[in-house]
Amino acid sequence: MNPLDQTTQLVIDLIKQNKATDFEFSVGRSSGVSTAVRLSKVETLQYHLDTSFDVSVYFGKNKGQASSVDLSKDSLKKAIESACMIAKYTQADPFNGLAPKDRMAWNAPDLDLYHPWSLDAQESIEIAKECEEIALEQDEIDNSDGAELSSHEGETYYANSNGLITSIKNTKHSLHCSLIAKRDSEMQTAYEYSIALDSNNLMSPSMVGKEASRFAQKKLGSRNLKSQKCPVIFIPRQASGLFSQLLGALSGSRQFKKTSFLLDSVGKSVVTDSISIYEDPLQLKTLGSRSFDLDGVLKKKQFFVQNGKVVSYLMGQYSANQLGLETTANAGGVSNCQVESNFDGGLEELTKIMNKGLIVTDLMGHGVNATTGDYSRGASGFWVEGGQIQYPVSGVTIAGNLKTMLKNITYVGNDIDLRSNLKVGSTLINEMTIAGEG
């Protein structure tokens, strides 16, 4: 029997001894290696071996929660007893409770997410060093913030008092390189990374290093801009954050608390009608895929925004109970969410269409108000005129209101970044405010 399977059975027996009305818990184990080098010297070499236990018990509508990083019988027993004691002292919450039995992941499919990598210390050091060394060989690359290689694998069991016991095994491997380019007294930083479930699908160390150096070189010679209003293109790695704000505003908890800039938005248009946003969580061997949520509810393909209009909030069982709706199996967030492209082309073609404006490649700060939608962040990127990049830009602030910004999205390109859980292409907004020199 799998050790976690044995632990799961033990936990069920221990909880039943406390006579809780209902219960749910997860027990997990993960391991991995992480190696960071800088200027050819090993800065860190870490092996990880972690275990976790999280339990919720219900006595009617009273709920108690506890956790432990020790899976010994005594520690599990203490955590369960603590959760039961907490439940007896907490106020009853009418929204507490397990998801319906018929929504549970009784037959969760295997999504081919587990691809372990037998990576030893020396090999990890050599790969990270190769990535950085190739980058430092490129013109005008003056320094390095380092290269890091990591490999992770884990397994988690979920069980509840409905009789469900299900599990998920996954892996994730990544290679990252961050560099500093210098020309005269000017310095610019840039990074590149690769991430995959299967190490065979990672970009080569040389490609990661060369791409990081290319980005850093292109940022040299940056200028400021005069304050103005103009179109803005977010490259894919920045566009994902923009749409994350939209999805966050559609979360059931924010809707219930009335802290969303898209309050009561089901049936309302929030983006142009040529854009849809959906979750496709059961895709095989795909970053972000998952067969069930943290409530043990089976996931399925579903739309949140269809033809520009909100068709559903994002809800786990608790927030669904608060709103009097059915769970969308989003306890823990979205899984492999995608923004459909409405444009046959990527950054280059969008740049030509924009004609004049700003391409945003980097964002700084956290100037986003999730309740009002006010948005103001430091940015750098490239200035475009005549449909061509003219020069790099830094030291500007882009501002607007997310509600207006989302409505002003005209195109989402097909250059989708597959490295993210939220997959989207370059995104063109027809007008934003840029604060620059004056």
Side-chain angles (χ1 to χ4, degrees):
M1 184 180 287
N2 183 304
L4 284 183
D5 196 5
Q6 291 179 323
T7 303
T8 299
Q9 294 296 335
L10 173 61
V11 171
I12 292 172
D13 293 339
L14 292 172
I15 293 177
K16 286 182 177 179
Q17 293 174 17
N18 287 272
K19 299 180 180 179
T21 307
D22 282 304
F23 65 82
E24 60 183 332
F25 67 88
S26 65
V27 57
R29 188 185 304 272
S30 64
S31 62
V33 60
S34 177
T35 303
V37 302
R38 181 176 178 273
L39 301 178
S40 297
K41 294 183 179 180
V42 178
E43 289 203 324
T44 60
L45 175 60
Q46 296 180 318
Y47 282 93
H48 312 277
L49 182 59
D50 303 305
T51 56
S52 63
F53 172 60
D54 295 279
V55 61
S56 296
V57 296
Y58 301 87
F59 290 85
K61 293 295 183 179
N62 296 70
K63 178 182 178 180
Q65 293 176 284
S67 62
S68 174
V69 294
D70 184 348
L71 300 187
S72 68
K73 183 176 180 179
D74 286 345
S75 292
L76 293 172
K77 186 176 180 180
K78 288 178 182 177
I80 292 166
E81 290 173 347
S82 296
C84 292
M85 181 185 69
I86 291 169
K88 292 175 182 177
Y89 285 96
T90 56
Q91 185 174 351
D93 186 336
F95 305 121
N96 280 335
L98 300 181
K101 194 171 183 178
D102 62 357
R103 296 291 307 278
M104 294 294 174
W106 299 105
N107 297 295
D110 180 358
L111 302 179
D112 192 24
L113 306 178
Y114 186 67
H115 298 271
W117 188 5
S118 299
L119 185 67
D120 61 33
Q122 189 58 43
E123 184 182 4
S124 69
I125 292 170
E126 290 174 358
I127 292 172
K129 280 187 174 182
E130 179 187 356
C131 180
E132 184 191 48
E133 286 170 0
I134 289 174
L136 288 170
E137 291 173 358
Q138 309 306 308
D139 293 341
E140 298 183 304
I141 302 303
D142 179 69
N143 205 341
S144 168
D145 278 334
E148 183 172 353
L149 177 69
S150 66
S151 174
H152 170 273
E153 62 178 278
E155 182 175 19
T156 302
Y157 272 67
Y158 170 89
N160 63 35
S161 48
N162 280 333
L164 176 68
I165 300 176
T166 189
S167 64
I168 184 171
K169 293 177 73 174
N170 59 9
T171 53
K172 187 176 288 187
H173 316 291
S174 65
L175 178 60
H176 180 279
C177 184
S178 181
L179 302 168
I180 301 171
K182 184 177 181 181
R183 183 183 298 164
D184 299 325
S185 61
E186 179 191 7
M187 292 189 292
Q188 295 288 346
T189 62
Y191 68 92
E192 181 58 293
Y193 70 98
S194 179
I195 184 168
L197 302 176
D198 187 337
S199 61
N200 294 314
N201 299 131
L202 285 174
M203 291 167 57
S204 69
S206 62
M207 184 176 293
V208 173
K210 287 179 179 178
E211 284 297 293
S213 61
R214 184 177 67 85
F215 291 155
Q217 291 162 342
K218 289 175 67 175
K219 293 170 72 173
L220 289 169
S222 68
R223 310 180 196 176
N224 207 315
L225 291 174
K226 292 183 178 180
S227 297
Q228 59 189 288
K229 290 185 177 181
C230 68
V232 171
I233 294 175
F234 288 78
I235 67 170
R237 66 170 68 170
Q238 302 302 341
S240 62
L242 184 65
F243 285 97
S244 290
Q245 294 293 336
L246 187 159
L247 293 172
L250 298 182
S251 72
S253 61
R254 295 251 298 268
Q255 293 291 323
F256 179 75
K257 295 174 183 177
K258 300 187 182 302
T259 56
S260 168
F261 69 90
L262 294 179
L263 189 63
D264 300 327
S265 54
V266 166
K268 297 178 182 177
S269 178
V270 294
V271 291
T272 182
D273 59 12
S274 58
I275 294 176
S276 295
I277 305 171
Y278 65 93
E279 183 182 43
D280 197 5
L282 303 182
Q283 286 288 307
L284 298 179
K285 201 177 181 181
T286 301
L287 282 168
S289 286
R290 186 180 175 91
S291 56
F292 57 91
D293 76 346
L294 298 184
D295 293 330
V297 177
L298 185 67
K299 297 186 73 70
K300 62 180 180 180
K301 182 175 180 179
Q302 60 187 333
F303 282 82
F304 302 117
V305 175
Q306 195 163 21
N307 299 325
K309 293 183 178 180
V310 176
V311 293
S312 174
Y313 298 130
L314 287 72
M315 298 168 287
Q317 187 58 49
Y318 185 78
S319 59
N321 289 343
Q322 289 178 316
L323 297 176
L325 301 170
E326 291 189 6
T327 177
T328 57
N330 288 115
V334 296
S335 302
N336 189 33
C337 193
Q338 306 194 27
V339 181
E340 283 188 343
S341 302
N342 65 348
F343 180 74
D344 186 17
L347 179 60
E348 184 178 348
E349 291 78 12
L350 284 176
T351 300
K352 292 176 182 177
I353 287 178
M354 179 172 67
N355 189 49
K356 182 179 180 180
L358 178 67
I359 297 174
V360 173
T361 60
D362 296 276
L363 290 166
M364 290 74 76
H366 303 281
V368 182
N369 188 315
T371 301
T372 65
D374 290 338
Y375 183 101
S376 178
R377 299 189 67 183
S380 61
F382 298 94
W383 182 249
V384 172
E385 288 188 19
Q388 299 290 328
I389 290 176
Q390 300 300 314
Y391 50 83
V393 171
S394 62
V396 300
T397 298
I398 57 173
N401 184 278
L402 282 167
K403 202 167 186 178
T404 303
M405 289 165 60
L406 293 168
K407 283 268 195 169
N408 285 345
I409 293 173
T410 52
Y411 294 116
V412 175
N414 61 8
D415 53 340
I416 296 170
D417 190 343
L418 300 177
R419 298 171 296 184
S420 171
N421 181 38
L422 202 170
K423 298 171 173 63
V424 59
S426 297
T427 299
L428 172 61
I429 299 177
N430 63 25
E431 185 178 90
M432 287 190 69
T433 297
I434 296 176
E437 292 180 330

